[in-house]
Amino acid sequence: MQGLAAGAVVVGFSPAHQAWATEDGPDLTHVPPLDGSLTTDPEARQEAADDYGHIVHRTPIAVLRPGSVNDVAVMIRFARRFGLKVAMRGQGHVCFGQAQVRAGIVIDSRTLNQVHAIGADTATVGPGITWAELLAATAARGLTPPVLTDYLGLSVGGTLSSGGIGGASQRHGVQVDTARELHVVTGTGDVVVCSSARNRHLFDSVLAGLGQYGIIVKATVRLVPAPALARVYNLFYDDLGTYLADQLLLASEQRFEYLEGQVQPRPDGSPGWRYMIEAVAYYTPPREPDDAALLAGLHDDRSAAVITPSTYLAWQHRLDAAVEYLKAIGDWYRPHPMLDLLVPASRAERIVGGALATLTPLDIGIGPILLYPVRTSLFTRPLFRVPDERAAFLFSLLRTTANSDQELLRRQLASNRALYDANVAAGGTWYPIGAIADYDRDDWRGHYGALWSHVVEAKRRYDPDNVLTPGQRMF
């Protein structure tokens, strides 16, 4: 066991006091040997009591920095024995305490960040590695994950537990659709290898399972050849309906390898919104994109269109400078009550238009509003819930609370709830990494619909004592 703050060493756990002890005592249960470290250091616990949302704060009694997969299994078995809760935390990029545990144990996955193997079309990695680190390792071999999130500083284990959506999802699904095999520690402390051909039930439960049934400790994901270059097309619209129609056309015809879009304030400062398609063609010379063919039949303001060349890697790292800027000015550390909805394509103009009529730039803050289409047939993992239509739109409000204004935060959270309810009533779903206040078991039952019985059965089967990830407020 490694030393803690001020030289203290955890020697055991006192069930009577629900606390770790640094000295032997009569009621003490000794902590099993670990390859990593278990710390009660206040700084580590404070970090684990926060996330990107900076809204919810639940302090654990200890943080495990595992040195091996066995450490995770050992600590989950220990926690189960004494009725403690456990959650895995990667980069902490959720927004509403989902990976926090009051008076429990947070497992810091960042120490499990190894690249175990890179093959011709797969990579096997630890859960704490970021997608940026994985991309660096695969690009050196001319390969890339087929789906990358816009911000590459997220952990592989984190996005595989939630979904992992991005501009390539209209071609390849979400990141959970690219997973080939997982090593999982269940809520009973068992280490299980699962895939589509082996322990399929667990595989389908853990991918996008929000940490409820097992903790990912190793993942094998698909790779594809990496292109050399990217050509970025920014196309602008003043009318929401025309924008949505052109987006659906591009998604259905698969013209671009990457397809996203944004809702932006009007550049002249007048009320209302402008809409931007952000589409990217990837290529390797001597092949070149055909601009005329890619843009044929669209109804954008062609005089405002911007076409920008880039390398593939520079495009994937396009947000790095912006993230550093947000950290420098402090906005990275303000509350972020984000909301990510999946809106049925047939209802998108009504739902999105109604939402935008209630929103102002102040309601969003410095973050953008994303609005882009996906083809739901590509989403193969059952617990990643999507509308029952062939196409849907991700409508993502990446909110920041200006100046940490608590009254504004209250209004933003209330707005999130109202927008969520309207979308669900229209047959929509949500991507549950954001901030919705008072989300309870009845909401989860509605979210999973006919799959709720699978969810309940999987919890009883793999985490019968409800040890894992209480911050989701599902059980």
Side-chain angles (χ1 to χ4, degrees):
M1 182 75 62
Q2 296 180 9
L4 304 181
V9 176
V10 171
V11 297
F13 182 76
S14 169
H17 298 94
Q18 287 288 289
W20 303 105
T22 57
E23 297 179 0
D24 265 320
D27 70 336
L28 207 61
T29 300
H30 285 263
V31 174
L34 297 170
D35 298 312
S37 64
L38 182 72
T39 180
T40 57
D41 174 59
E43 184 175 341
R45 294 169 62 217
Q46 182 179 4
E47 181 187 34
D50 196 14
D51 54 34
Y52 183 64
H54 308 302
I55 301 167
V56 174
H57 302 279
R58 304 184 183 108
T59 305
I61 56 175
V63 174
L64 173 67
R65 292 169 177 150
S68 64
V69 169
N70 185 62
D71 282 0
V72 177
V74 163
M75 196 50 60
I76 287 178
R77 291 195 293 268
F78 192 88
R80 184 188 184 202
R81 178 181 175 186
F82 293 106
L84 299 172
K85 305 293 186 183
V86 177
M88 180 82 97
R89 182 185 192 275
Q91 296 296 316
H93 206 73
V94 289
C95 297
F96 213 56
Q98 289 94 332
Q100 297 176 23
V101 186
R102 178 177 288 112
I105 302 168
V106 168
I107 300 172
D108 185 345
S109 76
R110 291 175 297 184
T111 55
L112 298 178
N113 64 344
Q114 302 84 1
V115 176
H116 296 287
I118 297 177
D121 60 358
T122 61
T124 300
V125 298
I129 194 170
T130 66
W131 289 97
E133 292 167 333
L134 176 56
L135 178 59
T138 61
R141 303 193 183 194
L143 300 168
T144 180
V147 181
L148 290 165
T149 50
D150 293 333
Y151 173 52
L152 297 182
L154 308 179
S155 69
V156 168
T159 62
L160 292 184
S161 296
S162 54
I165 197 166
S169 292
Q170 47 96 31
R171 275 184 174 260
H172 300 285
V174 282
Q175 287 177 326
V176 292
D177 296 302
T178 73
R180 291 294 175 262
E181 183 180 87
L182 302 176
H183 291 228
V184 173
V185 180
T186 67
T188 58
D190 296 308
V191 182
V192 183
V193 181
C194 56
S195 66
S196 293
R198 181 182 184 187
N199 296 311
R200 175 68 180 266
H201 187 272
L202 179 61
F203 190 63
D204 283 342
S205 299
V206 170
L207 289 170
L210 306 176
Q212 294 302 303
Y213 320 103
I215 288 176
I216 298 169
V217 290
K218 187 185 291 186
T220 299
V221 296
R222 185 164 66 93
L223 301 175
V224 297
L229 302 174
R231 187 173 294 176
V232 184
Y233 301 78
N234 296 128
L235 313 174
F236 296 91
Y237 296 75
D238 290 319
D239 176 69
L240 175 61
T242 305
Y243 168 85
L244 295 174
D246 276 6
Q247 282 277 38
L248 287 173
L249 174 67
L250 293 177
S252 65
E253 295 186 354
Q254 297 289 279
R255 295 190 194 180
F256 292 94
E257 285 74 26
Y258 170 104
L259 181 62
E260 287 198 9
Q262 295 183 16
V263 180
Q264 302 176 336
R266 292 188 183 276
D268 61 4
S270 62
W273 304 93
R274 183 171 73 158
Y275 310 94
M276 180 188 74
I277 289 177
E278 186 169 60
V280 185
Y282 299 147
Y283 64 103
T284 298
R287 187 175 70 86
E288 289 270 346
D290 183 338
D291 294 347
L294 290 171
L295 303 179
L298 300 181
H299 301 88
D300 62 297
D301 177 3
R302 194 56 51 85
S303 66
V306 178
I307 302 176
T308 308
S310 175
T311 66
Y312 176 74
L313 289 180
W315 167 251
Q316 298 299 350
H317 284 278
R318 65 196 178 278
L319 295 186
D320 291 3
V323 168
E324 292 307 310
Y325 172 74
L326 293 176
K327 290 179 178 179
I329 66 173
D331 272 42
W332 189 262
Y333 308 104
R334 299 191 190 281
H336 295 102
M338 302 194 308
L339 177 69
D340 298 271
L341 302 176
L342 286 160
V343 183
S346 67
R347 310 289 181 85
E349 187 170 4
R350 177 169 66 84
I351 295 297
V352 174
L356 294 176
T358 70
L359 296 172
T360 68
L362 178 63
D363 296 320
I364 304 302
I366 200 168
I369 302 175
L370 304 181
L371 180 61
Y372 60 87
V374 291
R375 295 187 298 156
T376 59
S377 62
L378 299 175
F379 299 154
T380 61
R381 305 305 176 200
L383 295 191
F384 188 81
R385 307 302 292 149
V386 297
D388 188 19
E389 291 192 3
R390 294 176 61 184
F393 279 86
L394 179 72
F395 182 42
S396 183
L397 308 180
L398 304 184
R399 300 184 193 255
T400 300
T401 306
N403 300 317
S404 301
D405 182 335
Q406 292 302 300
E407 176 57 28
L408 174 59
L409 174 60
R410 185 195 65 76
R411 295 199 307 269
Q412 290 171 320
L413 290 172
S415 170
N416 281 358
R417 182 75 217 201
L419 295 175
Y420 167 84
D421 288 338
N423 187 52
V424 168
T429 61
W430 78 305
Y431 182 27
I433 60 171
I436 298 180
D438 302 320
Y439 203 85
D440 59 20
R441 188 179 174 91
D442 288 338
D443 290 312
W444 283 117
R445 185 182 290 111
H447 175 73
Y448 287 111
L451 279 181
W452 179 247
S453 59
H454 170 98
V455 167
V456 172
E457 191 274 331
K459 190 67 170 179
R460 290 172 179 166
R461 182 171 175 177
Y462 302 118
D463 186 23
D465 294 317
N466 196 15
V467 173
L468 301 177
T469 321
Q472 293 287 0
R473 300 166 291 164
M474 196 181 301
F475 296 97

